[in-house]
Amino acid sequence: MDDRLFRDAMGKFTTGVTVLTTKFENEPAGMTANAFMSVSLTPKLVVVSIGHKARFLEKVRVSQKFAVNILAADQENYSRMFAGQLKDENKIEFAELAGLPVVPNALAQVSCKVVAEHIEGDHTLLIGEVLDIRLEEGNPLIFFSGQYHALAEKTAVL
């Protein structure tokens, strides 16, 4: 099968949108990702998948820490910024959680230390042990078939 067919099929799985962040040489660094999931409750573990071509991967390998920022519906600009889609690099005033830069007002900020790394195909899976979490209320930014979406408001059924 060709790559486009595979990508189109994977795009049919609706995901949330995250920005991964770390601190590298005392500066914040980040990238947009939707390959994120929880792995274990005891201990509390998550996994992120980062392409080998991403400059962010080496930064996390050096820092051995990363944060997952689950974006709110009104934070598409952060996703585009960290995906390199915005030409005007907006400066972001990061918050901090467990010593890591985090996206302000993200629905969830999850700081982790790397406990394992698995190379699979053209990506590296990083297993992170959760150090701290901060939550906000709101609706998520979601991604489906190559486009951003927001959840529709639920209507009461009478």
Side-chain angles (χ1 to χ4, degrees), residues 21-140:
T21 51
T22 194
K23 189 177 280 188
F24 179 73
E25 296 179 351
N26 285 325
E27 292 293 323
M31 69 170 278
T32 299
N34 66 351
F36 158 73
M37 68 179 220
S38 63
V39 174
S40 170
L41 188 57
T42 307
K44 291 167 182 53
L45 301 174
V46 299
V47 64
V48 295
S49 178
I50 303 173
H52 293 158
K53 293 179 181 176
R55 294 176 298 213
F56 184 78
L57 181 58
E58 187 56 33
K59 295 173 182 179
V60 174
R61 283 182 168 147
V62 170
S63 72
Q64 287 296 294
K65 292 184 178 179
F66 64 90
V68 179
N69 301 272
I70 300 173
L71 299 184
D74 63 352
Q75 294 182 313
E76 181 180 332
N77 61 320
Y78 289 131
S79 176
R80 291 187 182 281
M81 181 187 327
F82 287 102
Q85 296 174 346
L86 295 180
K87 295 189 193 284
D88 293 338
E89 286 294 324
N90 300 330
K91 280 293 186 188
I92 176 173
E93 290 292 326
F94 287 96
E96 190 171 290
L97 183 66
L100 287 168
V102 291
V103 175
N105 303 312
L107 290 182
Q109 303 161 335
V110 183
S111 291
C112 306
K113 69 176 179 178
V114 176
V115 294
E117 181 178 315
H118 301 277
I119 296 173
E120 300 297 337
D122 59 3
H123 278 63
T124 295
L125 305 177
L126 297 176
I127 308 293
E129 183 175 353
V130 177
L131 302 171
D132 203 356
I133 292 175
R134 182 180 299 134
L135 300 175
E136 298 286 340
E137 291 298 319
N139 287 321

Side-chain angles (χ1 to χ4, degrees), residues 8-27:
D8 289 348
M10 295 304 102
K12 297 300 181 188
F13 184 70
T14 303
T15 64
V17 181
T18 72
V19 168
L20 307 178
T21 51
T22 194
K23 189 177 280 188
F24 179 73
E25 296 179 351
N26 285 325
E27 292 293 323

